[in-house]
Amino acid sequence: MASPYSTFKQLAKSESEGKDYQVRIDLRDTPVLVMAPHGGKIEPMTAEIAEAIAGHDYSFYSFEGLKEDGNNILHIESHLFDEPRALQAVGKADIVITVHGQLNRKDAFVMIGGLHNGLCSEIRRQLEATGFQIRPVGRGLEGIDSRNLCNRGRLKAGVQLEVSRKVRDLVRADKSQLEAFAGAVRKALQIYLAGC
């Protein structure tokens, strides 16, 4: 079901913060921001993955659905996402990595999109080296729109990770897999930042 909301202002008129959704944010003195704009019960485990990638080094933001059911209506598309705290955080970051949930329950894979080709390639290398399967980005999930949240940092080029439901279920059930996934992305970031 598509969301009836195309802006956060519309959402906030009908939904209550603390009851229907929550925002978690932890800004640090770093050029990197890791985000889950559809966390909580919207795209389960995306906030946990983003938070694990951020660790204690990178900034973190998540918008999380809290409803008992029907959280899909809280899904504002990435090129329209305009929650004010998110935009403020994005404006302070050079690089934005967003974590999303792809619906496939049968296969375990990650799709990597976004305009930051160098970092996308390094993340791909590190995730594959850790044993995660990478698939070509599906139509509509490329993350190449300049308005996409991942591309709104100061470099105007970021990374969008689409994580299949099967991988999200795997990292929920096995903390070592969550640590492996996050560690691979963090290693890619460290390699990229060391070369800047």
Side-chain angles (χ1 to χ4, degrees), residues 27-33 35 59 86-97 115-116 146 148-159 192-193:
L27 299 181
R28 297 188 167 95
D29 184 20
T30 171
V32 178
L33 169 65
M35 308 181 80
S59 293
L87 296 185
Q88 185 178 25
V90 165
K92 294 178 178 176
D94 290 341
I95 296 169
V96 178
I97 297 176
L115 289 174
H116 200 302
S146 62
N148 186 298
L149 197 55
C150 75
N151 298 320
R152 288 195 236 166
R154 289 190 292 234
L155 292 182
K156 304 299 182 197
V159 178
Y192 167 76
L193 291 170

Side-chain angles (χ1 to χ4, degrees), residues 52-72:
I53 294 168
H56 298 295
D57 306 296
Y58 307 122
S59 293
F60 165 74
Y61 169 96
S62 67
F63 179 89
E64 302 173 5
L66 301 175
K67 294 170 171 284
E68 284 299 313
D69 53 41
N71 285 275
N72 282 350

Side-chain angles (χ1 to χ4, degrees), residues 53-152:
I53 294 168
H56 298 295
D57 306 296
Y58 307 122
S59 293
F60 165 74
Y61 169 96
S62 67
F63 179 89
E64 302 173 5
L66 301 175
K67 294 170 171 284
E68 284 299 313
D69 53 41
N71 285 275
N72 282 350
I73 70 166
L74 303 173
H75 185 291
I76 299 174
E77 293 184 29
S78 292
H79 70 287
L80 301 172
F81 197 87
D82 62 350
E83 195 279 317
R85 287 159 287 189
L87 296 185
Q88 185 178 25
V90 165
K92 294 178 178 176
D94 290 341
I95 296 169
V96 178
I97 297 176
T98 56
V99 180
H100 298 267
Q102 203 278 343
L103 296 177
N104 193 310
R105 290 175 181 268
K106 193 174 91 168
D107 303 313
F109 63 87
V110 181
M111 296 186 293
I112 304 172
L115 289 174
H116 200 302
N117 295 328
L119 186 54
C120 286
S121 295
E122 191 57 50
I123 290 174
R124 178 189 184 109
R125 273 193 290 277
Q126 297 304 326
L127 283 173
E128 286 180 330
T130 311
F132 290 95
Q133 181 188 356
I134 307 299
R135 278 198 183 167
V137 178
R139 186 183 172 105
L141 302 175
E142 301 94 340
I144 55 174
D145 189 321
S146 62
R147 297 168 298 167
N148 186 298
L149 197 55
C150 75
N151 298 320
R152 288 195 236 166

